[in-house]
Amino acid sequence: MFGRRNREEKPREKVTRESLKEGLKVFEFVRPYQWYFWGGMLMLFASSVVFMVFPFLIGQLVDTANGEAIINFSLFEIGLVLLVALIFQSVTAFARVMLFAQVSEKATADIRATLYKKFVSLPVSFFEENKTGDLISRVNADVEKLYNVFSVTLAEFVRQIITLIVGIGFLAIATPRLSLVMVLTIPVVMVGAIFFGRFIRKISKQRQEILAETNSMLSESIMAISLVKAFVNEWFELNRYRKKNNEVVSFGIKYAFSRAVFAVFIILFIFGAIFFIIYQGVLMVQEGAMTSGNLISFVSYTFVIAGSIGSLGSFIGDLLGSVGATERVREILNTPNELELGDNESLTPHSIQGSVSFENVAFHYPTRTDVPVLQGLSFHIQPGEKIALVGSSGAGKSTIIQLLLRFYDIQSGDIKVDGQSIFGQELRTYRQNLALVPQEVILFGGTIRENILYGREDATEEEVISAAKQSNSWEFITKFPEGLDTIVGERGVKLSGGQRQRIAIARAILKDPAILLLDEATSSLDAESEKVVQEALDKLMEGRTSIIIAHRLSTIREVDCIYVLEKGVIKEKGTHTELSLLEDGIYKGLANLQFQ
């Protein structure tokens, strides 16, 4: 429906040394906060090492009670050491959490800011090739995964490694015979963990992609809810969503199944070894080769090590999953920009006269290379001249405006403003001299004042009011109790179509452009609103180069020149009177159809 299709499945990237290296590049966002990171790691190391003292001290408590302790401490002194260790653990745990919070919160905020900066720097074609809902969902989900890695997963992974090394070290020194059995299990478990980690990552990525498509579908349906209801397609959308939601459940169950199998593998293998080790330890106590306290310490260490090994598989899967999460982020960050946003927000003023020349321009859209839109198009507009573009849908009218705004690159020819190619100019400085009033006005969900100020942020209150008056907006604005501070709602939903158009015109007036682009600015309005808006547009066009796309020919009778386009080629040009006199002319045919 509406041409929405699932994107073709791409080959899934395997975790190789190169992909892992590329994936780790996202951790460069941690570098500005590396002192917090290393401080957290220091606290983590200290608390992990001290934690491994507890099983030893517990064993010594038992041996001291039996008179077999190897250290000359009383029960009270050992208890005091345990209390100090507990306090140290509490302090280091608090410090570790706070330090890693600094890293995770700030690093992920930087990732979000960098991605947002990237989005506003990307060309329009990128957003035509990618669904908005899909982008938002994927970025939110992937950044959340990275947040979990920075805040919890990485720290816990390191903790388990430290626990494993210290625990095995103690066992190797204290009870080498028993510890050998434990050491022999580790390689097998690690190989299993790597195998399951790869499989879990694959399932996790598939689930993430399906979930992103589901969220994209939800976003589309909500944005087009009036269309859904108008076509009575509630059940169609519900069934479509349920189908996709069932795919999420299916992949979620596969993901859970893989983790469950891994858990079964860990439990059977590790705990089987533990019971065997405990049995051997009891035999050694019976033979007098080991004290009861040492056995308790050993069993405690064994359970801690088993827990670490079991957790490692999960954390390895999460870390490998985070590499998959960085793929989409890296793909976006590596997409070529159409402009570079520096640290300096100010633009260098560059005023132009407003002459426009299209010189033998050929163009097709990036997503439709087999369909030529403009074919050797040439025309010239003098500064301050008002011209109109007329033609059937698909003739190339809106494309001309989009090319003038440099939303796309042309295949051949050139476009010049004041005799200079627009493709050699700094993009933002160039666009500062243009203003667009589209057919479907986009307002942001703030106040009327904020939407008018979007044309020029540093404008004074007097300039905002003046723009509102010139656009014929001031009359209806003053009728609102909050005036300029009235909230317009999402996409301006609280205003009528005519009111939104006049706010857009006020925004353009405040920008004071040399070149004005009007893309069917009155075609969706009723007769009364059209008259008010047309009066505002007439004021706006005074003294500016204006390019008008219009289906209602009555609105362009007074322009200096009308260009009639057909399949990307200019077929007729002249004033309204001149074109109306052409026998069998395209414009005359259109005019007769409308005026009759």
Side-chain angles (χ1 to χ4, degrees):
M1 189 178 183
F2 312 124
R4 293 177 292 191
R5 298 175 181 172
N6 292 333
R7 288 172 296 175
E8 188 177 336
E9 282 290 321
K10 297 180 180 179
R12 305 210 180 272
E13 183 181 340
K14 295 181 179 179
V15 179
T16 62
R17 180 179 297 179
E18 287 301 316
S19 66
L20 188 59
K21 183 179 178 182
E22 285 295 313
L24 291 176
K25 285 184 178 179
V26 78
F27 289 90
E28 291 178 0
F29 287 97
V30 175
R31 186 174 296 173
Y33 316 105
Q34 58 179 316
W35 295 115
Y36 290 112
F37 178 79
W38 292 117
M41 282 296 183
L42 179 62
M43 295 295 103
L44 180 66
F45 178 80
S47 63
S48 299
V49 171
V50 170
F51 172 76
M52 297 305 291
V53 174
F54 286 110
F56 173 75
L57 292 176
I58 291 171
Q60 290 305 302
L61 275 174
V62 174
D63 283 347
T64 300
N66 294 331
E68 301 174 334
I70 60 173
I71 57 174
N72 191 21
F73 281 3
S74 66
L75 289 174
F76 175 78
E77 289 171 333
I78 295 175
L80 190 60
V81 172
L82 280 170
L83 179 61
V84 171
L86 283 173
I87 294 172
F88 180 82
Q89 279 284 93
S90 302
V91 172
T92 54
F94 177 83
R96 172 178 58 82
V97 171
M98 293 306 298
L99 289 168
F100 278 122
Q102 292 283 338
V103 176
S104 57
E105 294 292 345
K106 293 181 178 180
T108 49
D110 288 348
I111 293 174
R112 290 190 185 98
T114 302
L115 282 170
Y116 188 82
K117 182 180 179 181
K118 186 70 179 183
F119 280 139
V120 298
S121 304
L122 289 171
V124 172
S125 57
F126 174 84
F127 299 97
E128 292 177 344
E129 296 168 4
N130 295 275
K131 292 181 179 180
T132 303
D134 183 34
L135 286 174
I136 294 173
S137 173
R138 288 300 302 272
V139 168
N140 285 340
D142 291 348
V143 171
E144 186 63 24
K145 270 197 169 186
L146 292 174
Y147 172 82
N148 292 334
V149 169
F150 294 153
S151 61
V152 178
T153 308
L154 186 60
E156 288 303 316
F157 178 74
V158 173
R159 177 200 290 279
Q160 302 307 329
I161 291 291
I162 294 172
T163 300
L164 196 60
I165 293 173
V166 174
I168 291 175
F170 175 84
L171 295 182
I173 295 171
T175 53
R177 195 171 80 183
L178 287 180
S179 62
L180 182 61
V181 178
M182 181 60 70
V183 172
L184 289 176
T185 65
I186 292 176
V188 178
V189 173
M190 293 305 293
V191 169
I194 293 172
F195 172 78
F196 278 105
R198 287 179 176 176
F199 182 73
I200 289 170
R201 172 186 171 273
K202 180 180 179 181
I203 299 296
S204 175
K205 185 180 177 184
Q206 291 174 337
R207 180 180 179 274
Q208 206 68 32
E209 289 177 350
I210 297 295
L211 184 60
E213 291 179 12
T214 305
N215 290 335
S216 176
M217 188 182 298
L218 177 63
S219 175
E220 286 181 351
S221 298
I222 291 176
M223 290 177 67
I225 191 64
S226 58
L227 193 63
V228 172
K229 291 183 175 298
F231 282 85
V232 199
N233 270 321
E234 292 90 349
W235 272 109
F236 173 83
E237 292 295 337
L238 179 59
N239 290 331
R240 200 166 63 94
Y241 185 81
R242 280 175 174 171
K243 182 179 178 181
K244 190 63 65 175
N245 212 25
N246 288 337
E247 290 183 37
V248 175
V249 173
S250 177
F251 277 101
I253 292 174
K254 286 182 181 179
Y255 181 63
F257 178 78
S258 63
R259 292 174 65 91
V261 171
F262 185 51
V264 169
F265 169 77
I266 293 295
I267 291 171
L268 286 177
F269 194 84
I270 294 299
F271 282 94
I274 289 173
F275 293 144
F276 176 73
I277 291 169
I278 292 174
Y279 176 74
Q280 292 296 318
V282 170
L283 291 178
M284 290 177 66
V285 171
Q286 192 177 32
E287 295 169 0
M290 183 185 232
T291 66
S292 301
N294 280 344
L295 178 60
I296 291 173
S297 296
F298 183 85
V299 171
S300 301
Y301 279 117
T302 302
F303 275 104
V304 170
I305 292 171
S308 296
I309 295 174
S311 300
L312 275 177
S314 174
F315 290 131
I316 289 174
D318 290 341
L319 289 173
L320 290 175
S322 71
V323 175
T326 66
E327 289 175 12
R328 182 61 177 172
V329 173
R330 286 185 287 117
E331 181 183 336
I332 294 172
L333 293 178
N334 292 333
T335 303
N337 292 356
E338 72 166 1
L339 56 87
E340 294 295 334
L341 291 178
D343 296 330
N344 186 7
E345 296 181 5
S346 62
L347 292 173
T348 304
H350 175 64
S351 59
I352 62 176
Q353 297 299 313
S355 69
V356 177
S357 297
F358 274 62
E359 300 178 356
N360 199 30
V361 173
F363 172 76
H364 59 71
Y365 284 99
T367 54
R368 292 173 293 175
T369 56
D370 57 330
V371 181
V373 181
L374 301 181
Q375 305 181 59
L377 186 73
S378 298
F379 63 88
H380 179 74
I381 308 172
Q382 296 291 345
E385 191 176 8
K386 300 175 182 63
I387 68 106
L389 303 175
V390 175
S392 59
S393 297
K397 306 183 298 296
S398 296
T399 300
I400 291 174
I401 285 182
Q402 291 174 333
L403 292 180
L404 197 55
L405 284 164
R406 278 186 60 184
F407 286 169
Y408 305 94
D409 289 328
I410 59 178
Q411 278 70 58
S412 64
D414 201 1
I415 303 174
K416 295 181 178 179
V417 170
D418 288 358
Q420 294 184 349
S421 174
I422 65 174
F423 300 104
Q425 301 182 37
E426 200 283 318
L427 187 55
R428 297 182 70 228
T429 302
Y430 164 71
R431 285 180 180 164
Q432 193 179 24
N433 293 284
L434 287 79
L436 172 67
V437 180
Q439 175 184 5
E440 184 181 352
V441 174
I442 298 175
L443 297 183
F444 297 94
T447 64
I448 293 177
R449 175 187 283 102
E450 290 169 344
N451 277 281
I452 296 177
L453 281 171
Y454 206 75
R456 181 159 57 88
E457 291 181 354
D458 59 350
T460 63
E461 184 78 0
E462 291 73 19
E463 289 173 321
V464 171
I465 294 174
S466 175
K469 289 179 178 178
Q470 291 180 63
S471 65
N472 291 342
S473 305
W474 188 243
E475 182 180 355
F476 78 80
I477 290 173
T478 54
K479 291 180 180 179
F480 292 128
E482 295 84 7
L484 287 169
D485 294 318
T486 300
I487 300 295
V488 302
E490 186 178 2
R491 300 176 69 87
V493 69
K494 294 184 179 180
L495 302 180
S496 68
Q499 289 172 337
R500 289 197 296 270
Q501 282 287 6
R502 281 177 274 174
I503 294 298
I505 293 170
R507 187 163 61 192
I509 290 173
L510 200 60
K511 189 174 184 181
D512 192 23
I515 301 175
L516 180 64
L517 309 172
L518 304 176
D519 190 355
E520 302 182 26
T522 62
S523 63
S524 61
L525 304 178
D526 58 65
E528 184 178 353
S529 297
E530 180 185 356
K531 180 181 178 181
V532 178
V533 171
Q534 190 60 50
E535 289 176 0
L537 289 173
D538 291 339
K539 297 176 186 177
L540 177 59
M541 288 188 287
E542 290 177 3
R544 309 177 199 278
T545 302
S546 302
I547 301 177
I548 308 161
I549 295 176
H551 281 155
R552 294 186 183 179
L553 303 185
S554 59
T555 62
I556 58 171
R557 288 185 174 186
E558 305 302 323
V559 300
D560 299 307
C561 187
I562 299 171
Y563 293 90
V564 182
L565 278 78
E566 187 176 272
K567 296 181 179 179
V569 177
I570 294 175
K571 292 293 187 178
E572 298 173 3
K573 61 175 289 189
T575 63
H576 170 75
T577 303
E578 292 169 345
L579 295 177
S580 298
L581 297 176
L582 293 177
E583 290 296 330
D584 300 323
I586 298 174
Y587 181 84
K588 184 177 181 180
L590 293 172
N592 287 339
L593 284 173
Q594 287 197 19
F595 298 145
Q596 287 176 1

